[in-house]
């Protein structure tokens, strides 16, 4: 059977999942939640038929499962939970064969015993939510000793384990005690300046992947959906009538086009939600009279989709010029050769040559979904395959 996964595309592709006997630490600053990483991981592994055990002291099993559902990451009824929360609050613990109550959560020995005894029964994945609550409830040294119990059990029973920690201001010596015991550490932080602009995670260390540098990733926790890698700005540009608006409206359900100036739609915006990624797509106008706007529109983009009309190579120099004017030349770019259906459409190779693209720049052909429905006054829906391929190619470069 395959190793347990993180359930987050970037982590799984960077780390090849979480191998047995390995311990992962998700260490979050207090302003950002790490619990969704737990939901996502549990869901992914239950769906794959793995046996998952959760030690829970942060909330009740019931609200935990409700939260999972709100993110559309439900447990499939097979999740086993050691409930250390109900005992603290005095809430009657939920009766279920999959819930193991800690009768006296103040009893240091019972907590460890319950974890150890249950892990012996054989699980693929163990999740502790959370280490910081153990440290606050008992003391830091005790939390570390629980990690040691988990480490030993994971090692003797071939279990992958993940620990969730919120850094409420522990000393670096304390954090090192946990850090030095885990095999992979993922920090989850906010980009903060009085308000939180964004959230990101970064692989700080990993002892089973060598010689590779990891990049950090912006993310959003989305209900429903869970953790999505987030790209704040992707520019969609190209000459007039190439199909920019059509592309954005095909890619994004809720796209809006603003500034109808004399029948010309000038700007487009759409929220993209695609295969674990979220992005804001911004479309530029193509007409030269809007050129003064281009630099502004291109600002802060991190990637570009350059759309050309395959049947109008005479517009290609203009397409390149749009990259310069939006000041996005040199950013990761995917070229979309649209209108592949038109009689004058030239081949990909010719387009590549005329646009002076090197082989590392992806070129994807797209075409209207239904040629018979094309209205020259309005954008049209494009075939989804091409649009998906273009987006995948760009995300491949960006991530
Ligand atoms: N034949 C054909 N027409 C298309 C295709 N894609 C878009 N169009 C049409 O081309 C025109 C310009 O498309 P639009 O998306 O508004 O281009 P923009 O100016 O780049 O935003 C519209 O009339 C669309 O219906 C395609 O693949 N084939
Ligand atoms: Mg348009």
């Amino acid at each position: 059977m395959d190793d347990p996964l993180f359930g987050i595309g970037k982590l799984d592709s960077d780390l090849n999942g979480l191998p047995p006997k390995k311990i992962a630490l998700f260490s979050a600053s207090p302003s950002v939640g790490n619990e969704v990483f737990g939901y996502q991981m549990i869901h992914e592994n239950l769906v794959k038929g793995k046996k998952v055990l959760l030690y829970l002291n942060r909330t009740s099993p019931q609200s935990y499962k409700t939260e999972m559902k709100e993110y559309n990451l439900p447990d499939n009824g097979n999740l086993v939970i050691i409930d250390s929360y109900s005992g603290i609050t005095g809430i009657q613990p939920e009766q279920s064969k999959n819930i193991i109550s800690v009768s006296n959560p103040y009893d240091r020995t019972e907590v460890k015993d319950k974890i150890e005894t249950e892990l012996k029964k054989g699980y693929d994945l163990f999740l502790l939510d959370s280490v910081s609550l153990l440290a606050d409830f008992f003391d830091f040294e005790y939390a570390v000793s629980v990690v040691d119990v988990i480490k030993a059990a994971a090692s003797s029973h071939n279990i992958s384990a993940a620990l969730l920690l919120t850094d409420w201001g522990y000393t670096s010596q304390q954090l090192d005690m946990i850090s030095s015991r885990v095999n992979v550490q993922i920090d989850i932080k906010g980009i903060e300046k009085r308000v939180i602009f964004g959230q990101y995670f970064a692989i700080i260390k990993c002892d089973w992947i060598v010689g590779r540098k990891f990049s950090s990733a912006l993310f959003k926790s989305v209900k429903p959906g869970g953790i999505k890698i987030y790209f704040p700005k992707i520019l969609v540009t190209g000459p007039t009538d190439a199909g920019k608006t059509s592309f954005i409206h095909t890619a994004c359900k809720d796209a809006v086009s603003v500034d109808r100036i004399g029948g010309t739609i000038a700007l487009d915006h759409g929220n993209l939600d695609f295969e674990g990624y979220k992005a804001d797509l911004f479309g530029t106008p193509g007409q030269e009279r809007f050129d003064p706007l281009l630099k502004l529109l291109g600002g802060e983009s991190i990637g570009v989709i350059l759309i050309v009309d395959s049947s109008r190579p005479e517009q290609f120099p203009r397409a390149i010029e749009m990259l310069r004017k939006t000041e996005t030349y040199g950013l990761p770019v995917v070229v979309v050769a649209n209108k592949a259906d038109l009689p004058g459409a030239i081949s990909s190779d010719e387009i590549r040559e005329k646009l002076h693209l090197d082989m590392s720049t992806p070129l994807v052909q797209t075409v209207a979904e239904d040629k018979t429905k094309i209205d020259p006054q309005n954008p049209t829906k494009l075939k989804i395959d091409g649009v998906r391929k273009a987006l995948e190619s760009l995300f491949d470069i960006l991530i």
Side-chain angles (χ1 to χ4, degrees), residues 190-208:
I191 302 169
E192 294 170 58
K193 206 151 197 177
R194 271 178 289 180
V195 294
I196 301 174
F197 288 120
Q199 306 182 343
Y200 68 93
F201 65 80
I203 300 165
I204 297 303
K205 66 162 195 178
C206 174
D207 69 4
W208 68 89

Side-chain angles (χ1 to χ4, degrees), residues 228 272-278 388-389 391-392 395:
K228 305 266 183 171
L272 178 72
D273 189 346
F274 175 73
E275 289 184 354
Y277 298 107
K278 260 190 112 55
R388 295 182 76 90
K389 205 168 152 206
L391 295 169
E392 269 161 15
F395 290 138

